[in-house]
Amino acid sequence: TEAAFGSSYDLADGWVALESQTPPPAVEAAPVPPAVGGTGSTGLRLQNLSYAFQWLVFAGFVVFFWARMLRDDLRQAAAEAPPAPAEPVREVY
């Protein structure tokens, strides 16, 4: 049978890492600088903190718009509902 993506062989999860190369590369790879905010394991990551804050703001908007849509739907349903029957007026003498 044909596997995913139209290939004629089964696919497997994984990755490939180059450990050595013959002949050696003509140009050495540039060293990767450490991540902003420290060496990678220490320090406060302001970028990550701001990203977390963005998700909190997004969650707040979701709750706000859900409540707004619910309120609008309830108002529309109340406006379209048939009026309640009027009670007969009793005259007391």
Side-chain angles (χ1 to χ4, degrees):
T1 72
E2 192 164 293
F5 302 110
S7 65
S8 59
Y9 51 89
D10 292 333
L11 301 177
D13 291 338
W15 67 89
V16 176
L18 179 65
E19 293 182 0
S20 65
Q21 177 178 341
T22 305
V27 178
E28 274 300 310
V32 177
V36 176
T39 61
S41 62
T42 62
L44 177 63
R45 305 292 182 135
L46 294 180
Q47 183 179 5
N48 294 349
L49 186 62
S50 66
Y51 188 65
F53 178 71
Q54 288 175 358
W55 275 106
L56 291 174
V57 170
F58 175 71
F61 277 124
V62 168
V63 171
F64 170 77
F65 283 117
W66 176 81
R68 177 87 183 249
M69 289 173 50
L70 179 64
R71 183 188 69 178
D72 291 345
D73 287 347
L74 291 175
R75 282 184 179 175
Q76 183 179 1
E80 293 174 356
E87 292 184 26
V89 177
R90 292 185 178 179
E91 293 185 20
V92 178
Y93 294 102

